[in-house]
Amino acid sequence: RGDDVQVHALYSPYAPALHPQHVRINQRTAQWAVRHRIGSAELRSALVESDIGTFAARILPEGREDVAQLLADFVLWLFGVDDGHCEDGQLGRRPGALAAELSRLLRVAQNPEAPLLPTDRLAAGLRDLSRRFTALGGTPAQKARWVDALREYYLSVVWEAEHRVAGTVPTLSDYTLMRLYDGATSVVLPLLELGHGYELDPDERDDRQVRALAEMAYFVICWDNDLFSYDKEARSGHWVLNVITVLQHHQGCTVEQALALAVEQRDRVLYLFARCAEAVRRTASPQLLQYLDSLADFVRGAQDWGVTSARYALGAAPIAFTPRLERPSLEPLDIASVAWWWELVDELGLERPALQPLTV
Ligand code: 3E9
Ligand code: MG
Ligand code: MG
Ligand code: MG
Ligand code: MG
Ligand code: MG
């Protein structure tokens, strides 16, 4: 990592896992990107070198290979949008025009037969993904869920674009809320169900505690990404939002202090996730058990992919993981948009760890 920016072993209680067909999945995703000519030639070759198929193979280590393939192609497509349109592209500085283009893409996802954006390659790629989602057995309700999740991702990148144009830095609470969606984590969840051949009861999936668990997973995946991608984003020469930047800006602290704070935050949320998931499992349906397993695979998969992918180039100074947290805490973070997650501690009757840290 950069000169004085050092992350020690990160807390991660889950075991690494990888689909046995990961090499084939990764190769096919590279072929898919080339066939659909996703992004500029430069972006495409960078994406093809990033082992995105391996990422999907880590998210669905025991899932259907055809769904892992769909997920891999979809994640590559998402990077095509996030890098190509939002972060490096012209639309990323025009929130209104970005909203219009993303709304057309949303319609293509929902109705691939609609003759919208007929010559656009990202639209053609999305059409293929949408058709495959249905062909692989995705139900109308799962498809609607996927389209809705894309909509919340799109809404958050428009929010992000406004900050990019204005050159402003959101508050930590606003950043957290926006980041729950602009990491494109929620769009992956319908594929976790499809990948294991079940449909979670909507009342179980949207149960307040279960939704809190999914959101905690999004938080950890995005905070970890902010740690892994900090160098890439700081070096890019572009305005990029990242929790390190947000903390530095609002707390007036150094990069090292911001980094330590971000690590403390992701530790606290991941510990809360692990403890709450353990408690929720006691009364969970078989489908919910699988869903919780998949959330853990997603968290761990994002970590193992993040520290090894050429995209972040951390290879020379890899970050290690440890299943032990030295000072576990169930005290809430002071972040208004997500502090309610800690209400689960009493709701689920969790016992607090004996030694609480003295500082917050
Ligand atoms: C957003 O974060 C990255 C997503 C839009 C790319 C697609 C990834 C997923 C669907 C799975 C979630 C994985 C993550 C968040 C790595 P950002 O900071 O723009 O990603 P970057 O790679 O540029 O740091
Ligand atoms: Mg982004
Ligand atoms: Mg990015
Ligand atoms: Mg960039
Ligand atoms: Mg990032
Ligand atoms: Mg497992």
Side-chain angles (χ1 to χ4, degrees):
R1 299 189 63 83
D3 297 341
D4 39 17
V5 178
Q6 185 71 52
V7 173
H8 301 290
L10 277 180
Y11 165 61
S12 181
Y14 302 108
L18 182 58
H19 196 286
Q21 297 305 334
H22 66 98
V23 174
R24 188 156 79 191
I25 294 168
N26 197 42
Q27 283 167 351
R28 286 191 179 145
T29 290
Q31 290 161 3
W32 187 86
V34 170
R35 188 162 69 251
H36 288 276
R37 295 196 297 143
I38 299 299
S40 65
E42 190 192 355
L43 173 57
R44 192 180 321 133
S45 70
L47 292 177
V48 162
E49 294 301 311
S50 297
D51 290 328
I52 291 169
T54 312
F55 183 21
R58 291 186 181 285
I59 297 172
L60 280 173
E62 290 159 19
R64 286 170 56 181
E65 183 184 346
D66 51 6
V67 177
Q69 191 68 62
L70 174 64
L71 175 60
D73 298 351
F74 178 44
V75 171
L76 186 135
W77 183 89
L78 282 164
F79 277 118
V81 171
D82 209 68
D83 294 351
H85 276 339
C86 303
E87 294 182 5
D88 304 339
Q90 297 297 313
L91 284 176
R93 305 193 59 83
R94 298 171 60 211
L98 179 63
E101 182 68 1
L102 295 177
S103 297
R104 291 177 201 116
L105 285 173
L106 201 58
R107 193 61 170 169
V108 169
Q110 195 171 33
N111 287 96
E113 68 279 17
L116 269 64
L117 303 172
T119 60
D120 185 85
R121 297 177 311 208
L122 278 173
L126 183 59
R127 221 169 239 120
D128 175 65
L129 297 169
S130 172
R131 289 191 168 123
R132 283 162 62 196
F133 190 108
T134 301
L136 290 174
T139 66
Q142 284 174 326
K143 187 76 173 277
R145 193 72 184 195
W146 181 64
V147 171
D148 282 346
L150 266 176
R151 184 180 291 110
E152 66 191 13
Y153 163 68
Y154 289 166
L155 180 63
S156 70
V157 294
V158 169
W159 181 352
E160 182 188 49
E162 178 60 27
H163 280 292
R164 184 177 294 113
V165 178
T168 46
V169 178
T171 63
L172 179 60
S173 176
D174 268 359
Y175 175 72
T176 302
L177 185 53
M178 187 187 83
R179 191 68 172 130
L180 290 181
Y181 306 110
D182 91 340
T185 44
S186 65
V187 294
V188 169
L189 268 48
L191 290 168
L192 301 182
E193 294 183 31
L194 191 56
H196 286 276
Y198 68 97
E199 190 163 8
L200 195 57
D201 183 322
D203 286 335
E204 204 167 27
R205 192 197 291 126
D206 290 324
D207 173 90
R208 186 169 165 281
Q209 295 179 346
V210 175
R211 177 165 58 83
L213 283 165
E215 291 184 4
M216 291 174 210
Y218 305 161
F219 181 105
V220 174
I221 292 164
C222 288
W223 256 238
D224 283 351
N225 172 272
D226 283 358
L227 296 171
F228 306 152
S229 64
Y230 177 72
D231 281 350
K232 163 180 99 73
E233 290 166 357
R235 272 188 276 104
S236 72
H238 295 134
W239 176 98
V240 184
L241 269 185
N242 182 303
V243 67
I244 314 293
T245 323
V246 170
L247 290 171
Q248 267 187 280
H249 184 88
H250 292 292
Q251 318 251 338
C253 61
T254 63
V255 182
E256 294 93 322
Q257 289 167 329
L259 205 67
L261 244 152
V263 170
E264 166 77 15
Q265 291 170 340
R266 56 80 67 201
D267 284 355
R268 289 263 276 276
V269 175
L270 183 48
Y271 182 67
L272 180 69
F273 173 86
R275 292 289 308 275
C276 292
E278 195 187 359
V280 165
R281 292 182 78 91
R282 288 188 205 120
T283 55
S285 68
Q287 291 82 7
L288 182 55
L289 289 174
Q290 179 57 61
Y291 186 74
L292 296 174
D293 280 346
S294 287
L295 289 178
D297 284 334
F298 192 7
V299 167
R300 181 69 207 216
Q303 293 167 340
D304 291 322
W305 175 74
V307 300
T308 52
S309 174
R311 182 169 173 88
Y312 309 107
L314 300 180
I319 294 170
F321 298 101
T322 167
R324 286 189 51 81
L325 188 56
E326 257 173 58
R327 296 175 6 136
S329 166
L330 285 174
E331 289 306 303
L333 290 177
D334 184 16
I335 303 179
S337 48
V338 299
W340 67 269
W341 289 342
W342 278 266
E343 289 172 16
L344 271 65
V345 173
D346 286 333
E347 286 173 23
L348 294 167
L350 301 186
E351 213 172 296
R352 288 182 169 74
L355 269 177
Q356 290 290 336
L358 297 174
T359 55
V360 174

Short mmCIF file of all heavy atoms in Angstrom, two decimals, residues 137-194:
data_model
loop_
_atom_site.label_atom_id
_atom_site.label_comp_id
_atom_site.label_asym_id
_atom_site.label_seq_id
_atom_site.Cartn_x
_atom_site.Cartn_y
_atom_site.Cartn_z
N GLY A 137 -34.60 -19.80 -14.83
CA GLY A 137 -35.65 -20.16 -13.87
C GLY A 137 -35.97 -19.06 -12.87
O GLY A 137 -36.71 -19.30 -11.92
N GLY A 138 -35.41 -17.86 -13.08
CA GLY A 138 -35.76 -16.74 -12.20
C GLY A 138 -37.26 -16.49 -12.28
O GLY A 138 -37.82 -16.39 -13.37
N THR A 139 -37.93 -16.43 -11.13
CA THR A 139 -39.38 -16.22 -11.12
C THR A 139 -39.68 -14.75 -11.39
O THR A 139 -38.80 -13.89 -11.25
CB THR A 139 -39.97 -16.59 -9.74
OG1 THR A 139 -39.44 -15.65 -8.78
CG2 THR A 139 -39.62 -18.01 -9.34
N PRO A 140 -40.95 -14.43 -11.75
CA PRO A 140 -41.32 -13.01 -11.93
C PRO A 140 -41.00 -12.18 -10.69
O PRO A 140 -40.54 -11.05 -10.80
CB PRO A 140 -42.83 -13.07 -12.21
CG PRO A 140 -43.04 -14.43 -12.82
CD PRO A 140 -42.06 -15.34 -12.13
N ALA A 141 -41.23 -12.74 -9.51
CA ALA A 141 -40.96 -11.99 -8.27
C ALA A 141 -39.45 -11.76 -8.10
O ALA A 141 -39.03 -10.68 -7.69
CB ALA A 141 -41.53 -12.73 -7.06
N GLN A 142 -38.64 -12.76 -8.42
CA GLN A 142 -37.18 -12.58 -8.31
C GLN A 142 -36.68 -11.56 -9.33
O GLN A 142 -35.78 -10.77 -9.06
CB GLN A 142 -36.47 -13.91 -8.51
CG GLN A 142 -36.55 -14.81 -7.28
CD GLN A 142 -35.97 -16.19 -7.52
OE1 GLN A 142 -36.07 -16.73 -8.64
NE2 GLN A 142 -35.39 -16.78 -6.49
N LYS A 143 -37.28 -11.61 -10.52
CA LYS A 143 -36.90 -10.66 -11.57
C LYS A 143 -37.24 -9.24 -11.15
O LYS A 143 -36.44 -8.32 -11.31
CB LYS A 143 -37.65 -11.03 -12.87
CG LYS A 143 -37.24 -10.25 -14.11
CD LYS A 143 -35.92 -10.75 -14.65
CE LYS A 143 -35.55 -10.13 -15.97
NZ LYS A 143 -36.16 -10.78 -17.13
N ALA A 144 -38.44 -9.07 -10.56
CA ALA A 144 -38.86 -7.75 -10.10
C ALA A 144 -37.91 -7.25 -9.00
O ALA A 144 -37.55 -6.07 -8.95
CB ALA A 144 -40.29 -7.80 -9.58
N ARG A 145 -37.51 -8.16 -8.15
CA ARG A 145 -36.59 -7.82 -7.07
C ARG A 145 -35.24 -7.34 -7.63
O ARG A 145 -34.64 -6.39 -7.16
CB ARG A 145 -36.38 -9.09 -6.22
CG ARG A 145 -35.73 -8.86 -4.93
CD ARG A 145 -36.67 -8.17 -4.00
NE ARG A 145 -36.01 -7.84 -2.75
CZ ARG A 145 -36.64 -7.51 -1.65
NH1 ARG A 145 -37.95 -7.44 -1.62
NH2 ARG A 145 -35.96 -7.22 -0.57
N TRP A 146 -34.79 -8.03 -8.69
CA TRP A 146 -33.53 -7.69 -9.34
C TRP A 146 -33.62 -6.29 -9.99
O TRP A 146 -32.72 -5.46 -9.84
CB TRP A 146 -33.22 -8.77 -10.39
CG TRP A 146 -31.95 -8.60 -11.16
CD1 TRP A 146 -30.67 -8.64 -10.67
CD2 TRP A 146 -31.83 -8.40 -12.57
NE1 TRP A 146 -29.77 -8.48 -11.70
CE2 TRP A 146 -30.46 -8.34 -12.87
CE3 TRP A 146 -32.76 -8.29 -13.61
CZ2 TRP A 146 -29.98 -8.15 -14.18
CZ3 TRP A 146 -32.29 -8.11 -14.91
CH2 TRP A 146 -30.91 -8.03 -15.18
N VAL A 147 -34.75 -6.03 -10.68
CA VAL A 147 -34.95 -4.73 -11.32
C VAL A 147 -35.03 -3.63 -10.25
O VAL A 147 -34.43 -2.56 -10.39
CB VAL A 147 -36.21 -4.74 -12.22
CG1 VAL A 147 -36.56 -3.34 -12.70
CG2 VAL A 147 -36.02 -5.69 -13.40
N ASP A 148 -35.74 -3.89 -9.16
CA ASP A 148 -35.84 -2.91 -8.07
C ASP A 148 -34.47 -2.62 -7.46
O ASP A 148 -34.16 -1.48 -7.11
CB ASP A 148 -36.78 -3.40 -6.97
CG ASP A 148 -38.25 -3.23 -7.35
OD1 ASP A 148 -38.52 -2.50 -8.33
OD2 ASP A 148 -39.11 -3.83 -6.68
N ALA A 149 -33.67 -3.66 -7.31
CA ALA A 149 -32.33 -3.46 -6.74
C ALA A 149 -31.46 -2.64 -7.70
O ALA A 149 -30.68 -1.78 -7.27
CB ALA A 149 -31.68 -4.81 -6.42
N LEU A 150 -31.61 -2.88 -9.00
CA LEU A 150 -30.87 -2.06 -9.98
C LEU A 150 -31.31 -0.60 -9.84
O LEU A 150 -30.48 0.31 -9.91
CB LEU A 150 -31.18 -2.53 -11.40
CG LEU A 150 -30.24 -3.53 -12.04
CD1 LEU A 150 -30.77 -3.94 -13.40
CD2 LEU A 150 -28.82 -2.97 -12.19
N ARG A 151 -32.61 -0.40 -9.61
CA ARG A 151 -33.12 0.97 -9.47
C ARG A 151 -32.49 1.65 -8.26
O ARG A 151 -32.11 2.81 -8.32
CB ARG A 151 -34.66 0.97 -9.37
CG ARG A 151 -35.27 2.36 -9.33
CD ARG A 151 -36.79 2.32 -9.22
NE ARG A 151 -37.43 1.82 -10.42
CZ ARG A 151 -38.04 0.63 -10.54
NH1 ARG A 151 -38.11 -0.18 -9.50
NH2 ARG A 151 -38.57 0.26 -11.67
N GLU A 152 -32.36 0.94 -7.15
CA GLU A 152 -31.77 1.60 -5.97
C GLU A 152 -30.27 1.86 -6.19
O GLU A 152 -29.75 2.87 -5.72
CB GLU A 152 -32.09 0.87 -4.66
CG GLU A 152 -31.51 -0.51 -4.50
CD GLU A 152 -32.11 -1.25 -3.28
OE1 GLU A 152 -33.13 -0.82 -2.71
OE2 GLU A 152 -31.54 -2.30 -2.92
N TYR A 153 -29.60 0.98 -6.94
CA TYR A 153 -28.20 1.25 -7.30
C TYR A 153 -28.13 2.51 -8.18
O TYR A 153 -27.32 3.41 -7.94
CB TYR A 153 -27.60 0.03 -8.02
CG TYR A 153 -26.33 0.34 -8.78
CD1 TYR A 153 -25.15 0.68 -8.12
CD2 TYR A 153 -26.32 0.30 -10.18
CE1 TYR A 153 -23.99 0.99 -8.83
CE2 TYR A 153 -25.17 0.60 -10.89
CZ TYR A 153 -24.02 0.95 -10.22
OH TYR A 153 -22.88 1.26 -10.92
N TYR A 154 -29.01 2.58 -9.19
CA TYR A 154 -29.00 3.73 -10.09
C TYR A 154 -29.27 5.03 -9.34
O TYR A 154 -28.64 6.06 -9.58
CB TYR A 154 -30.06 3.54 -11.20
CG TYR A 154 -29.73 2.48 -12.22
CD1 TYR A 154 -30.72 2.01 -13.09
CD2 TYR A 154 -28.45 1.97 -12.35
CE1 TYR A 154 -30.44 1.04 -14.04
CE2 TYR A 154 -28.16 1.00 -13.30
CZ TYR A 154 -29.17 0.54 -14.15
OH TYR A 154 -28.89 -0.42 -15.10
N LEU A 155 -30.26 5.01 -8.44
CA LEU A 155 -30.59 6.21 -7.66
C LEU A 155 -29.36 6.69 -6.88
O LEU A 155 -29.06 7.89 -6.83
CB LEU A 155 -31.75 5.91 -6.71
CG LEU A 155 -32.23 7.05 -5.82
CD1 LEU A 155 -32.79 8.21 -6.65
CD2 LEU A 155 -33.31 6.57 -4.84
N SER A 156 -28.62 5.75 -6.31
CA SER A 156 -27.48 6.14 -5.48
C SER A 156 -26.33 6.70 -6.33
O SER A 156 -25.62 7.58 -5.88
CB SER A 156 -27.01 4.97 -4.62
OG SER A 156 -26.41 3.99 -5.42
N VAL A 157 -26.16 6.20 -7.56
CA VAL A 157 -25.06 6.76 -8.37
C VAL A 157 -25.42 8.14 -8.91
O VAL A 157 -24.54 8.95 -9.21
CB VAL A 157 -24.56 5.81 -9.50
CG1 VAL A 157 -23.91 4.57 -8.89
CG2 VAL A 157 -25.63 5.45 -10.50
N VAL A 158 -26.72 8.43 -9.02
CA VAL A 158 -27.13 9.79 -9.40
C VAL A 158 -26.83 10.75 -8.24
O VAL A 158 -26.31 11.85 -8.43
CB VAL A 158 -28.63 9.82 -9.81
CG1 VAL A 158 -29.12 11.25 -9.94
CG2 VAL A 158 -28.84 9.06 -11.12
N TRP A 159 -27.12 10.30 -7.04
CA TRP A 159 -26.78 11.05 -5.80
C TRP A 159 -25.27 11.32 -5.77
O TRP A 159 -24.81 12.44 -5.55
CB TRP A 159 -27.24 10.20 -4.62
CG TRP A 159 -27.04 10.73 -3.23
CD1 TRP A 159 -26.34 11.84 -2.85
CD2 TRP A 159 -27.56 10.14 -2.03
NE1 TRP A 159 -26.39 11.97 -1.48
CE2 TRP A 159 -27.12 10.95 -0.96
CE3 TRP A 159 -28.34 9.01 -1.76
CZ2 TRP A 159 -27.46 10.65 0.37
CZ3 TRP A 159 -28.66 8.74 -0.44
CH2 TRP A 159 -28.23 9.54 0.61
N GLU A 160 -24.51 10.26 -6.04
CA GLU A 160 -23.05 10.37 -6.05
C GLU A 160 -22.60 11.38 -7.12
O GLU A 160 -21.69 12.18 -6.89
CB GLU A 160 -22.46 8.98 -6.33
CG GLU A 160 -20.95 8.90 -6.33
CD GLU A 160 -20.46 7.52 -6.81
OE1 GLU A 160 -20.91 7.02 -7.86
OE2 GLU A 160 -19.62 6.96 -6.12
N ALA A 161 -23.25 11.35 -8.28
CA ALA A 161 -22.87 12.25 -9.39
C ALA A 161 -23.06 13.71 -9.00
O ALA A 161 -22.27 14.57 -9.38
CB ALA A 161 -23.67 11.91 -10.65
N GLU A 162 -24.10 13.98 -8.22
CA GLU A 162 -24.33 15.36 -7.78
C GLU A 162 -23.16 15.85 -6.91
O GLU A 162 -22.68 16.97 -7.07
CB GLU A 162 -25.67 15.45 -7.03
CG GLU A 162 -25.99 16.83 -6.47
CD GLU A 162 -26.08 17.93 -7.53
OE1 GLU A 162 -26.41 17.64 -8.70
OE2 GLU A 162 -25.81 19.10 -7.16
N HIS A 163 -22.68 14.98 -6.03
CA HIS A 163 -21.51 15.35 -5.22
C HIS A 163 -20.27 15.52 -6.09
O HIS A 163 -19.44 16.40 -5.85
CB HIS A 163 -21.23 14.28 -4.14
CG HIS A 163 -22.13 14.41 -2.94
ND1 HIS A 163 -22.05 15.46 -2.08
CD2 HIS A 163 -23.13 13.62 -2.48
CE1 HIS A 163 -22.96 15.32 -1.12
NE2 HIS A 163 -23.64 14.20 -1.34
N ARG A 164 -20.15 14.69 -7.13
CA ARG A 164 -18.99 14.78 -8.03
C ARG A 164 -18.97 16.14 -8.72
O ARG A 164 -17.94 16.80 -8.77
CB ARG A 164 -19.06 13.64 -9.06
CG ARG A 164 -17.84 13.57 -9.98
CD ARG A 164 -17.93 12.38 -10.94
NE ARG A 164 -17.86 11.10 -10.26
CZ ARG A 164 -18.85 10.22 -10.19
NH1 ARG A 164 -20.01 10.47 -10.78
NH2 ARG A 164 -18.71 9.09 -9.52
N VAL A 165 -20.12 16.56 -9.23
CA VAL A 165 -20.19 17.84 -9.94
C VAL A 165 -19.93 19.00 -8.98
O VAL A 165 -19.19 19.93 -9.29
CB VAL A 165 -21.60 18.05 -10.57
CG1 VAL A 165 -21.67 19.41 -11.26
CG2 VAL A 165 -21.91 16.95 -11.54
N ALA A 166 -20.55 18.92 -7.80
CA ALA A 166 -20.44 20.02 -6.83
C ALA A 166 -19.10 19.99 -6.10
O ALA A 166 -18.72 20.97 -5.46
CB ALA A 166 -21.59 19.96 -5.84
N GLY A 167 -18.40 18.85 -6.18
CA GLY A 167 -17.13 18.72 -5.46
C GLY A 167 -17.32 18.68 -3.95
O GLY A 167 -16.46 19.10 -3.19
N THR A 168 -18.48 18.20 -3.51
CA THR A 168 -18.79 18.17 -2.08
C THR A 168 -18.60 16.77 -1.51
O THR A 168 -18.59 15.78 -2.24
CB THR A 168 -20.24 18.62 -1.84
OG1 THR A 168 -21.09 17.94 -2.78
CG2 THR A 168 -20.38 20.12 -2.02
N VAL A 169 -18.48 16.71 -0.19
CA VAL A 169 -18.30 15.43 0.51
C VAL A 169 -19.50 15.25 1.44
O VAL A 169 -19.74 16.08 2.31
CB VAL A 169 -16.99 15.43 1.32
CG1 VAL A 169 -16.83 14.12 2.08
CG2 VAL A 169 -15.80 15.67 0.40
N PRO A 170 -20.27 14.17 1.26
CA PRO A 170 -21.45 13.97 2.12
C PRO A 170 -21.06 13.70 3.56
O PRO A 170 -19.93 13.31 3.84
CB PRO A 170 -22.13 12.73 1.51
CG PRO A 170 -21.05 12.02 0.77
CD PRO A 170 -20.09 13.06 0.30
N THR A 171 -22.01 13.90 4.47
CA THR A 171 -21.79 13.53 5.87
C THR A 171 -21.59 12.02 5.95
O THR A 171 -21.97 11.29 5.03
CB THR A 171 -23.01 13.87 6.74
OG1 THR A 171 -24.13 13.08 6.27
CG2 THR A 171 -23.35 15.36 6.67
N LEU A 172 -21.06 11.55 7.07
CA LEU A 172 -20.84 10.11 7.23
C LEU A 172 -22.17 9.35 7.14
O LEU A 172 -22.24 8.28 6.53
CB LEU A 172 -20.14 9.82 8.55
CG LEU A 172 -19.87 8.35 8.85
CD1 LEU A 172 -18.99 7.70 7.79
CD2 LEU A 172 -19.24 8.18 10.24
N SER A 173 -23.22 9.91 7.73
CA SER A 173 -24.53 9.23 7.70
C SER A 173 -25.06 9.15 6.26
O SER A 173 -25.55 8.10 5.83
CB SER A 173 -25.53 9.97 8.59
OG SER A 173 -26.80 9.37 8.48
N ASP A 174 -24.96 10.24 5.52
CA ASP A 174 -25.40 10.23 4.12
C ASP A 174 -24.52 9.31 3.27
O ASP A 174 -25.00 8.58 2.42
CB ASP A 174 -25.36 11.65 3.53
CG ASP A 174 -26.69 12.38 3.69
OD1 ASP A 174 -27.65 11.79 4.23
OD2 ASP A 174 -26.77 13.56 3.26
N TYR A 175 -23.23 9.39 3.50
CA TYR A 175 -22.32 8.52 2.73
C TYR A 175 -22.68 7.06 2.97
O TYR A 175 -22.75 6.26 2.02
CB TYR A 175 -20.85 8.77 3.11
CG TYR A 175 -19.93 7.79 2.40
CD1 TYR A 175 -19.68 7.92 1.03
CD2 TYR A 175 -19.36 6.71 3.08
CE1 TYR A 175 -18.89 7.00 0.35
CE2 TYR A 175 -18.57 5.79 2.41
CZ TYR A 175 -18.33 5.94 1.05
OH TYR A 175 -17.56 5.02 0.39
N THR A 176 -22.92 6.70 4.22
CA THR A 176 -23.23 5.32 4.57
C THR A 176 -24.50 4.87 3.84
O THR A 176 -24.54 3.79 3.24
CB THR A 176 -23.42 5.18 6.09
OG1 THR A 176 -22.22 5.62 6.74
CG2 THR A 176 -23.70 3.73 6.49
N LEU A 177 -25.52 5.70 3.90
CA LEU A 177 -26.79 5.36 3.26
C LEU A 177 -26.62 5.19 1.75
O LEU A 177 -27.10 4.21 1.16
CB LEU A 177 -27.81 6.47 3.57
CG LEU A 177 -29.24 6.27 3.11
CD1 LEU A 177 -29.81 4.95 3.60
CD2 LEU A 177 -30.10 7.44 3.60
N MET A 178 -25.91 6.13 1.12
CA MET A 178 -25.68 6.05 -0.31
C MET A 178 -24.84 4.82 -0.66
O MET A 178 -25.11 4.11 -1.63
CB MET A 178 -24.95 7.33 -0.75
CG MET A 178 -24.78 7.51 -2.20
SD MET A 178 -23.73 8.96 -2.51
CE MET A 178 -22.12 8.22 -2.31
N ARG A 179 -23.84 4.54 0.17
CA ARG A 179 -22.90 3.46 -0.11
C ARG A 179 -23.54 2.08 0.05
O ARG A 179 -23.08 1.11 -0.57
CB ARG A 179 -21.68 3.61 0.82
CG ARG A 179 -20.49 2.72 0.49
CD ARG A 179 -19.84 3.12 -0.82
NE ARG A 179 -18.59 2.41 -1.06
CZ ARG A 179 -18.30 1.78 -2.22
NH1 ARG A 179 -19.15 1.78 -3.22
NH2 ARG A 179 -17.15 1.17 -2.36
N LEU A 180 -24.60 1.99 0.85
CA LEU A 180 -25.29 0.70 0.96
C LEU A 180 -25.77 0.25 -0.41
O LEU A 180 -25.93 -0.94 -0.66
CB LEU A 180 -26.50 0.80 1.90
CG LEU A 180 -26.24 0.98 3.39
CD1 LEU A 180 -27.56 1.02 4.15
CD2 LEU A 180 -25.35 -0.13 3.95
N TYR A 181 -26.03 1.22 -1.30
CA TYR A 181 -26.57 0.88 -2.62
C TYR A 181 -25.56 1.09 -3.75
O TYR A 181 -25.60 0.36 -4.74
CB TYR A 181 -27.84 1.71 -2.89
CG TYR A 181 -28.84 1.50 -1.77
CD1 TYR A 181 -29.13 2.51 -0.86
CD2 TYR A 181 -29.43 0.25 -1.59
CE1 TYR A 181 -30.00 2.29 0.20
CE2 TYR A 181 -30.31 0.03 -0.53
CZ TYR A 181 -30.59 1.05 0.36
OH TYR A 181 -31.45 0.82 1.39
N ASP A 182 -24.67 2.07 -3.66
CA ASP A 182 -23.83 2.34 -4.83
C ASP A 182 -22.64 1.37 -4.94
O ASP A 182 -21.90 1.41 -5.91
CB ASP A 182 -23.42 3.82 -4.93
CG ASP A 182 -22.11 4.15 -4.24
OD1 ASP A 182 -21.68 3.38 -3.37
OD2 ASP A 182 -21.52 5.19 -4.58
N GLY A 183 -22.53 0.45 -3.98
CA GLY A 183 -21.58 -0.65 -4.16
C GLY A 183 -22.21 -1.78 -4.96
O GLY A 183 -21.58 -2.82 -5.18
N ALA A 184 -23.44 -1.59 -5.40
CA ALA A 184 -24.15 -2.60 -6.21
C ALA A 184 -24.17 -3.97 -5.53
O ALA A 184 -24.03 -5.00 -6.18
CB ALA A 184 -23.55 -2.70 -7.61
N THR A 185 -24.31 -3.95 -4.22
CA THR A 185 -24.37 -5.21 -3.49
C THR A 185 -25.77 -5.82 -3.51
O THR A 185 -25.92 -7.03 -3.65
CB THR A 185 -23.91 -5.00 -2.03
OG1 THR A 185 -24.52 -3.79 -1.55
CG2 THR A 185 -22.41 -4.88 -1.94
N SER A 186 -26.81 -4.96 -3.38
CA SER A 186 -28.17 -5.51 -3.27
C SER A 186 -28.62 -6.17 -4.57
O SER A 186 -29.47 -7.06 -4.54
CB SER A 186 -29.16 -4.42 -2.83
OG SER A 186 -29.30 -3.41 -3.80
N VAL A 187 -28.04 -5.77 -5.71
CA VAL A 187 -28.42 -6.39 -6.99
C VAL A 187 -27.93 -7.83 -7.11
O VAL A 187 -28.39 -8.59 -7.96
CB VAL A 187 -27.90 -5.59 -8.21
CG1 VAL A 187 -28.57 -4.23 -8.28
CG2 VAL A 187 -26.39 -5.44 -8.18
N VAL A 188 -26.98 -8.20 -6.26
CA VAL A 188 -26.43 -9.56 -6.29
C VAL A 188 -27.38 -10.55 -5.59
O VAL A 188 -27.43 -11.73 -5.94
CB VAL A 188 -25.03 -9.57 -5.63
CG1 VAL A 188 -24.53 -10.99 -5.39
CG2 VAL A 188 -24.02 -8.81 -6.50
N LEU A 189 -28.14 -10.07 -4.62
CA LEU A 189 -28.90 -10.97 -3.76
C LEU A 189 -29.92 -11.89 -4.47
O LEU A 189 -30.01 -13.07 -4.13
CB LEU A 189 -29.56 -10.20 -2.60
CG LEU A 189 -28.69 -10.16 -1.33
CD1 LEU A 189 -27.27 -9.76 -1.57
CD2 LEU A 189 -29.34 -9.33 -0.24
N PRO A 190 -30.67 -11.37 -5.45
CA PRO A 190 -31.59 -12.30 -6.14
C PRO A 190 -30.85 -13.47 -6.80
O PRO A 190 -31.39 -14.57 -6.89
CB PRO A 190 -32.26 -11.41 -7.19
CG PRO A 190 -32.15 -10.02 -6.66
CD PRO A 190 -30.84 -9.98 -5.92
N LEU A 191 -29.61 -13.23 -7.20
CA LEU A 191 -28.84 -14.30 -7.84
C LEU A 191 -28.33 -15.32 -6.82
O LEU A 191 -28.03 -16.46 -7.18
CB LEU A 191 -27.67 -13.70 -8.63
CG LEU A 191 -28.13 -12.94 -9.88
CD1 LEU A 191 -27.01 -12.12 -10.47
CD2 LEU A 191 -28.65 -13.90 -10.91
N LEU A 192 -28.23 -14.91 -5.56
CA LEU A 192 -27.85 -15.87 -4.52
C LEU A 192 -28.97 -16.90 -4.36
O LEU A 192 -28.71 -18.10 -4.19
CB LEU A 192 -27.60 -15.16 -3.19
CG LEU A 192 -26.50 -14.08 -3.17
CD1 LEU A 192 -26.34 -13.51 -1.77
CD2 LEU A 192 -25.18 -14.64 -3.68
N GLU A 193 -30.22 -16.44 -4.42
CA GLU A 193 -31.36 -17.36 -4.31
C GLU A 193 -31.42 -18.26 -5.54
O GLU A 193 -31.53 -19.48 -5.43
CB GLU A 193 -32.67 -16.57 -4.17
CG GLU A 193 -32.75 -15.80 -2.86
CD GLU A 193 -34.09 -15.07 -2.68
OE1 GLU A 193 -35.13 -15.56 -3.16
OE2 GLU A 193 -34.10 -14.00 -2.04
N LEU A 194 -31.34 -17.65 -6.71
CA LEU A 194 -31.39 -18.42 -7.96
C LEU A 194 -30.25 -19.45 -8.00
O LEU A 194 -30.44 -20.59 -8.44
CB LEU A 194 -31.28 -17.44 -9.13
CG LEU A 194 -31.57 -17.94 -10.54
CD1 LEU A 194 -32.96 -18.57 -10.62
CD2 LEU A 194 -31.45 -16.79 -11.55
#
